[in-house]
Amino acid sequence: MQKRTKIGLWIAGAVVVLGGVALAFGPAVYADYANSNVEAAPTIAPAPTSPTGSATSAAVNPDDLSGTWSIGADSYAGYRVDEVLQGNDVTVTGRTADVTGDLTVDSLSLTAATITVDVASIATDEGARDSYFRDTAMEVGDFPTATFTLTEPVTLEAPVAGVAQTLTANGELTMHGVTQPVSVELQAALTDAGGQVVGSIPITFSDYGVEAPDLGFVRVEDAGSVEFSLNVAQN
């Protein structure tokens, strides 16, 4: 029988570590503190401009996108989840730069993509929370990575450097040893280094054998999201 773990048992660890703060200043103050450390949702970076103020051209030929693309530096992925701490809403984000993968483009169609995230390196601003997330909730010793695999081609419009396109990609997300079909709303744009792809995958943790706990004073929502910002370069 598959072991069901509790996403958010790491919350208990964080509450223990920060218990003095929460008790001294109250849940509302702790919630404000936690929310102040939330990472912004990933977005397409503004197109760089030349000294004259006009947008610079992309590093790739927009009329020749075919071939393989790889994920490069300054990419990241992670999660966003909501908690309720004694009636106060708290949002938590975790991130890692350890993201690898390859994409295949045929003319204006993305025909294949595999993206792998090192779950074991995802971190927030609290080490205790991260330990619970990695070891107890996600069991990274057995399931160290999460992988998205594209299952249907995605067709782009003719790209313009620095102009984002909104697309929907269908694929499979494998996390905590469970694979589920997912639909991803993303944005893509050519950049001065190649391209950028950002997006979010809504997930229900129980679908992956991970149960969101309700500890009375703190409740973790069963729904959250996987977020990513990928800088890609043509090989």
Side-chain angles (χ1 to χ4, degrees):
M1 178 181 297
Q2 182 181 6
K3 179 180 179 182
R4 297 181 64 85
T5 60
K6 293 192 175 183
I7 188 80
L9 280 178
W10 42 273
I11 298 297
V15 170
V16 170
V17 171
L18 296 177
V21 175
L23 289 174
F25 299 104
V29 173
Y30 170 74
D32 289 342
Y33 163 78
N35 287 326
S36 69
N37 289 289
V38 174
E39 298 281 359
T43 58
I44 294 292
T49 57
S50 68
T52 61
S54 60
T56 60
S57 60
V60 296
N61 182 352
D63 297 321
D64 186 19
L65 303 179
S66 295
T68 58
W69 295 64
S70 296
I71 296 175
D74 298 323
S75 298
Y76 67 82
Y79 67 86
R80 182 179 298 267
V81 65
D82 293 327
E83 311 162 6
V84 180
L85 175 63
Q86 293 187 356
N88 296 275
D89 294 330
V90 178
T91 299
V92 175
T93 52
R95 298 281 171 83
T96 178
D98 196 341
V99 185
T100 58
D102 296 291
L103 303 85
T104 302
V105 177
D106 182 7
S107 185
L108 290 177
S109 291
L110 176 65
T111 59
T114 301
I115 313 299
T116 299
V117 179
D118 179 29
V119 177
S121 64
I122 294 177
T124 66
D125 59 326
E126 294 296 338
R129 174 192 288 134
D130 297 338
S131 294
Y132 271 82
F133 171 79
R134 297 166 183 165
D135 301 333
T136 305
M138 301 306 295
E139 298 180 296
V140 297
D142 295 323
F143 313 108
T145 62
T147 301
F148 171 81
T149 303
L150 186 72
T151 55
E152 298 178 14
V154 178
T155 300
L156 295 76
E157 298 177 357
V160 176
V163 178
Q165 297 185 36
T166 300
L167 309 162
T168 299
N170 295 316
E172 293 180 336
L173 177 64
T174 299
M175 184 175 68
H176 193 241
V178 178
T179 299
Q180 297 284 357
V182 293
S183 183
V184 189
E185 183 172 301
L186 54 83
Q187 288 190 313
L190 294 181
T191 68
D192 62 334
Q196 185 186 10
V197 181
V198 305
S200 177
I201 306 174
I203 60 171
T204 300
F205 295 114
S206 57
D207 289 345
Y208 296 87
V210 180
E211 183 180 352
D214 184 347
L215 304 179
F217 61 92
V218 59
R219 174 174 55 84
V220 181
E221 301 292 347
D222 187 41
S225 61
V226 173
E227 299 180 331
F228 57 88
S229 175
L230 310 176
N231 294 314
V232 297
Q234 193 172 27
N235 297 330

